[in-house]
Amino acid sequence: MVSALALAFYLAKTTEAEEVFVPVLNIKRSELPLRGDNVFFLQKVHIPESILIFRDEIDLHALHQAGQLTLILVDHHVLPKSDTALEETVAEVLDHRPIEQKHCPPCHVSVELVGSCATLVTERILQGAPEILDRQTAALLHGTIILDCVNMDLKIGKATLKDSKYVEKLEALFPDLPNRSDIFDSLQKAKFDVSGLTTEQMLRKDQKTIYRQGTKVAISTIYMDLEAFLQRSGLIADLHAFCQAHSYDVLVAMTIFFNMNNEPVRQLAIFCPHVALRMTICGVLERSDAPSLKLTSIPSTHPNLQAYLQGNTQVSRKKLLPLLQEALSAYLDSMQIPAGPPEIVGVSREQVDKEMNRAGNSLIPGVSQDEEDPPLPPTPMNSLVDECPLDQGLPKLSAEAIFEKCSQISLSRSTTASLSKN
């Protein structure tokens, strides 16, 4: 989002043509609350949500048909199938991941494997028109690079020399930018904060779906204590409504939080009104030894819900998915239903970006770094989305600097959209 906002700002300031440069945030407006770090950061730099433009508020296809659209893809380079017709309007790609040659539009492609796409936007601004950079835009870029690069921690290895170079340049130009640790800690806390979300939003925030022969299993990662989650008012009715609305037969909630000793705790809850299916899934998970989840049953007063403490904190959702596929196959076999190939559909922030081997770069002992980033709402089907590893628990919220007011973009005749990934 920040890359799209900052690049559109730069182009609007430096292009003499009568074009309008519009940063399009590639989610629905209703899904913004699911991205707590984005909401927090925009508020801190005094950018009101009301001036943002979301994908459901601009008809890119109509603009294309009217001959008034040029697209710049920011922080991704693959359009979803629903936007295939827009590929011919893509004039440039600015990304920081390896290119998928089969899917990348035939246009000018600017790609460099840095830790944050915001680094590449910062470079363009400082090389092209450094005089236009204001404190507000600098703060957006600075905080985003720091978050993406895990506070520039050399042990993590996400930050490249270029990322560090441009963070230092921004700090030299604006010495009163927030302390790196303060801004990283506050953004990380906001990223994992689910306190203001409804049950449905919490389940959709970081979710994947397994589908096989008409049976659908939703797997949601929830960043809070399972006991607190189970005590939410009207929870069972909410779970029933969620499954019914999306035709899910099973909902698996994987919770993770950090105890008073800053140690990770994982728990599991399997909600399923179908007794045979629930018992099959629970049986497979309890008996699994490759990997062993080391499950301890947690008493539950809800007849359709089985809860566990997961002793093996190395087993994240990525490693749980094959076990759930095995359980579905076993259930279908018992029902004498031919089991076709499984389908895994990412329905939150699709974790396609595997540029960092998180399993081998754990930030916390006992937590595998293939945990999906909580992002949040559904992203375009074929888009690439970056993710941040879990940090060391939920740090204390630090005060952020308040920056200057933002300037709004006025509309005129034609439109160039700077399209963010999500």
Side-chain angles (χ1 to χ4, degrees), residues 1 11 42 72 77 91-92 107 125 128 154 180 194 198 201 241 248 263 279 285 287 299 308 412 417:
M1 288 187 182
L11 293 172
L42 292 171
I72 299 174
H77 61 267
E92 182 183 357
C107 64
I125 295 173
L154 296 177
R180 293 184 188 183
V194 295
T198 66
Q201 288 174 326
Y248 295 133
E263 299 167 335
M279 290 180 64
L285 298 182
R287 294 189 298 269
Y308 299 98
S412 76

Side-chain angles (χ1 to χ4, degrees), residues 2 6 118 121-122 125 133 136-146 170:
V2 166
V121 177
T122 304
I125 295 173
L133 185 63
Q136 182 185 52
T137 307
L140 284 170
L141 294 166
H142 178 255
T144 302
I145 298 170
I146 288 171
L170 290 170

Side-chain angles (χ1 to χ4, degrees), residues 51-317:
I51 72 166
L52 302 176
I53 298 175
F54 293 82
R55 184 56 192 273
D56 57 334
E57 299 171 336
I58 184 168
D59 192 337
L60 298 181
H61 291 272
L63 287 170
H64 175 36
Q65 292 172 4
Q68 294 182 316
L69 179 66
T70 299
L71 275 181
I72 299 174
L73 303 187
V74 183
D75 211 0
H76 67 137
H77 61 267
V78 181
L79 287 171
K81 291 181 180 179
S82 58
D83 286 339
T84 300
L86 300 179
E87 186 172 285
E88 62 188 26
T89 72
V90 179
E92 182 183 357
V93 165
L94 184 65
D95 199 2
H96 68 123
R97 315 178 168 73
I99 289 292
E100 290 188 27
Q101 296 294 345
K102 293 182 179 180
H103 303 291
C104 187
C107 64
H108 176 65
V109 177
S110 300
V111 170
E112 189 167 347
L113 303 182
V114 293
S116 175
C117 189
T119 295
L120 303 180
V121 177
T122 304
E123 179 181 49
R124 180 168 299 190
I125 295 173
L126 292 182
Q127 289 185 354
E131 69 279 0
I132 67 114
L133 185 63
D134 58 26
R135 190 181 173 206
Q136 182 185 52
T137 307
L140 284 170
L141 294 166
H142 178 255
T144 302
I145 298 170
I146 288 171
L147 180 64
D148 286 346
C149 295
V150 197
N151 201 18
M152 320 310 289
D153 192 328
L154 296 177
K155 297 190 299 293
I156 304 305
K158 284 205 75 175
T160 66
L161 290 175
K162 178 166 284 191
D163 295 301
S164 298
K165 172 184 175 181
Y166 281 100
V167 165
E168 292 170 2
K169 282 183 175 291
L170 290 170
E171 290 170 346
L173 289 169
F174 299 91
D176 57 347
L177 285 173
N179 174 272
R180 293 184 188 183
S181 293
D182 287 347
I183 194 168
F184 176 75
D185 290 349
S186 59
L187 288 172
Q188 278 290 83
K189 181 177 177 63
K191 179 188 291 289
F192 293 103
D193 184 10
V194 295
S195 59
L197 301 183
T198 66
T199 298
E200 180 182 10
Q201 288 174 326
M202 292 175 67
L203 295 172
R204 290 180 56 236
K205 179 178 174 70
D206 189 5
Q207 180 195 330
K208 287 190 181 294
T209 302
I210 298 176
Y211 177 84
R212 181 176 278 191
Q213 297 301 104
T215 303
K216 293 175 67 175
V217 180
I219 309 98
S220 298
T221 303
I222 299 173
Y223 296 87
M224 67 183 298
D225 183 0
L226 180 60
E227 181 178 356
F229 179 70
L230 295 179
Q231 291 177 353
R232 291 174 68 89
S233 177
L235 176 71
I236 296 301
D238 289 342
L239 298 183
H240 273 291
F242 180 77
C243 290
Q244 185 173 13
H246 302 283
S247 301
Y248 295 133
D249 299 282
V250 186
L251 170 63
V252 178
M254 301 188 69
T255 68
I256 181 169
F257 69 100
F258 297 86
N259 61 23
M260 297 298 292
N261 297 321
N262 209 29
E263 299 167 335
V265 178
R266 288 188 185 273
Q267 300 154 314
L268 277 176
I270 293 88
F271 174 77
C272 177
H274 309 293
V275 177
L277 180 54
R278 185 176 69 252
M279 290 180 64
T280 300
I281 291 175
C282 292
V284 168
L285 298 182
E286 290 171 2
R287 294 189 298 269
S288 174
D289 57 7
S292 171
L293 278 69
K294 299 181 181 179
L295 298 179
T296 303
S297 181
I298 298 175
S300 170
T301 59
H302 309 300
N304 296 327
L305 187 145
Q306 176 65 52
Y308 299 98
L309 172 66
Q310 181 182 314
N312 184 358
T313 57
Q314 284 284 346
V315 181
S316 63
R317 182 171 60 187

Side-chain angles (χ1 to χ4, degrees), residues 258-389:
F258 297 86
N259 61 23
M260 297 298 292
N261 297 321
N262 209 29
E263 299 167 335
V265 178
R266 288 188 185 273
Q267 300 154 314
L268 277 176
I270 293 88
F271 174 77
C272 177
H274 309 293
V275 177
L277 180 54
R278 185 176 69 252
M279 290 180 64
T280 300
I281 291 175
C282 292
V284 168
L285 298 182
E286 290 171 2
R287 294 189 298 269
S288 174
D289 57 7
S292 171
L293 278 69
K294 299 181 181 179
L295 298 179
T296 303
S297 181
I298 298 175
S300 170
T301 59
H302 309 300
N304 296 327
L305 187 145
Q306 176 65 52
Y308 299 98
L309 172 66
Q310 181 182 314
N312 184 358
T313 57
Q314 284 284 346
V315 181
S316 63
R317 182 171 60 187
K318 177 182 177 181
K319 296 178 181 178
L320 187 73
L321 287 173
L323 298 180
L324 293 174
Q325 294 170 10
E326 177 186 338
L328 276 185
S329 296
Y331 172 73
L332 294 173
D333 288 344
S334 69
M335 302 297 290
Q336 297 184 338
I337 301 173
E343 243 181 87
I344 299 177
V345 182
V347 295
S348 63
R349 232 171 137 171
E350 320 224 350
Q351 305 306 321
V352 184
D353 180 10
K354 301 302 178 187
E355 64 191 46
M356 175 178 175
N357 183 355
R358 289 160 294 171
N361 292 280
S362 291
L363 299 184
I364 308 168
V367 177
S368 169
Q369 290 308 310
D370 59 13
E371 195 70 39
E372 279 80 9
D373 180 62
L376 303 159
T379 53
M381 182 163 41
N382 291 327
S383 290
L384 299 183
V385 181
D386 196 17
E387 60 189 338
C388 280

